[in-house]
């Protein structure tokens, strides 16, 4: 019983993690970017700019930066409590 409860709690927490949510839904395969059910050919874009705002924007943009890496031209992620969490420029 304890092990089942642990698995349920762990799955719930991971599902609420914005970084893990992005990492699980956004993938690159060759020159194809898949985000959920949407699919994009990266060759169709001259530049990629990432913009995020809100509580989850920093962990979500961190995941996007890991996924897209050097394909990103620039970006910013801003949260309400910038002193605590900061603003991310990349």
């Amino acid at each position: 019983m304890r092990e089942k409860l642990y698995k349920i709690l762990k799955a719930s927490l991971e599902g609420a993690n914005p970084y893990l949510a992005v990492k699980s839904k956004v993938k690159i395969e060759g020159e194809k970017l898949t985000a959920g059910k949407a699919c994009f050919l990266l060759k169709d874009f001259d530049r990629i700019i990432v913009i995020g705002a809100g509580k989850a924007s920093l962990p979500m943009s961190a995941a996007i930066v890991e996924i897209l890496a050097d394909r990103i031209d620039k970006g910013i992620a801003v949260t309400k409590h910038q002193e605590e969490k900061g603003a991310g420029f990349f």
Side-chain angles (χ1 to χ4, degrees):
M1 178 72 161
R2 177 179 268 177
E3 187 175 325
K4 286 182 182 181
L5 288 173
Y6 173 77
K7 286 181 181 180
I8 292 169
L9 178 60
K10 183 178 178 196
S12 299
L13 292 174
E14 287 175 357
N17 183 317
Y19 172 84
L20 294 177
V22 170
K23 292 287 277 191
S24 71
K25 296 293 181 185
V26 180
K27 306 285 182 201
I28 289 184
E29 296 173 2
E31 286 298 310
K32 182 173 77 172
L33 171 71
T34 304
K37 294 181 180 180
C39 184
F40 306 93
L41 293 177
L42 293 172
K43 67 179 184 162
D44 292 342
F45 297 89
D46 295 326
R47 300 178 356 161
I48 296 175
I49 299 170
V50 177
I51 300 171
K55 288 187 256 183
S57 67
L58 292 179
M60 292 176 85
S61 60
I64 289 293
V65 168
E66 284 184 20
I67 294 165
L68 291 172
D70 60 343
R71 292 180 167 106
I72 297 173
D73 290 289
K74 61 175 119 177
I76 183 171
V78 181
T79 153
K80 183 177 178 182
H81 303 288
Q82 291 180 20
E83 305 81 33
E84 295 172 22
K85 297 182 182 178
F89 292 93
F90 42 95

